[in-house]
Amino acid sequence: MTVNLTLLVVMGVLYAVGVYLLLERSLTRVLLGLMLLTNGTNLLILHAGGEAGSAPLYDASIAAENYSDPLPQALILTAIVISLAVTAFLLGMIYRSWVLGRRDEIQDDVEDRRVARQSSYDVESDADIPADTTEFDDVPPPRDPEESLEAPGVLGPRRGSNR
């Protein structure tokens, strides 16, 4: 199997530019970065499939190792469909953001700024907890001997009734 250096360089550039664009605050750039990442991944899957061979249709005169593997091509088709769906979803988000705010940049809101300012100390999970804090070792309260043990919703005999 020969390694095509050009294909590897193109994949590296697609991944690098895609990650850079994903880290931007503009939704359009995020969309473009995601599209570059999916195309780089498709090239990676295609490259991992090995050298091109004969069509994967059975013929008794062709040795088994001379066939091309159809699995990477099926995976690429699946990845194309998934990337199309994610692209449509992001386009919907971009359109909605543009309609509501006339911008496609993600802005910090008041709650984001408050969370960024607060300490990372959490009272519940970072506090010292005593060794024995279970509530299940307590003795259950005594039952009323006159209490009905019938199914819920079924009226049983009452005190002072004629039944």
Side-chain angles (χ1 to χ4, degrees):
M1 181 166 141
T2 61
V3 177
N4 188 349
L5 187 61
T6 307
L7 188 62
L8 293 176
V9 169
V10 169
M11 282 188 304
V13 169
L14 285 175
Y15 275 117
V17 174
V19 168
Y20 175 76
L21 288 175
L22 273 179
L23 296 176
E24 294 288 325
R25 295 186 73 86
S26 170
L27 287 175
T28 305
R29 291 183 181 182
V30 169
L31 175 65
L32 292 173
L34 184 69
M35 290 170 64
L36 289 176
L37 280 176
T38 56
N39 286 328
T41 304
N42 289 343
L43 286 176
L44 177 67
I45 294 172
L46 184 65
H47 182 69
E51 294 179 4
S54 299
L57 301 172
Y58 180 73
D59 187 6
S61 63
I62 300 174
E65 55 271 355
N66 293 337
Y67 287 117
S68 65
D69 189 10
L71 182 63
Q73 297 167 14
L75 290 175
I76 290 172
L77 286 175
T78 305
I80 289 171
V81 171
I82 291 170
S83 67
L84 178 68
V86 172
T87 300
F89 177 70
L90 276 174
L91 281 173
M93 284 178 49
I94 292 169
Y95 176 74
R96 184 70 174 164
S97 174
W98 182 256
V99 167
L100 292 177
R102 293 290 177 210
R103 58 175 49 170
D104 80 351
E105 286 189 11
I106 303 297
Q107 300 294 320
D108 287 339
D109 60 354
V110 176
E111 186 66 20
D112 288 338
R113 290 187 185 120
R114 187 189 67 77
V115 168
R117 281 193 313 264
Q118 79 181 8
S119 171
S120 63
Y121 179 79
D122 184 21
V123 176
E124 288 185 11
S125 60
D126 295 338
D128 292 332
I129 300 175
D132 187 22
T133 60
T134 182
E135 60 191 40
F136 297 110
D137 291 334
D138 296 337
V139 178
R143 289 186 76 108
D144 183 14
E146 303 266 336
E147 187 177 293
S148 173
L149 297 177
E150 295 179 14
V154 177
L155 294 176
R158 296 183 186 193
R159 288 185 222 164
S161 67
N162 298 359
R163 293 192 254 176

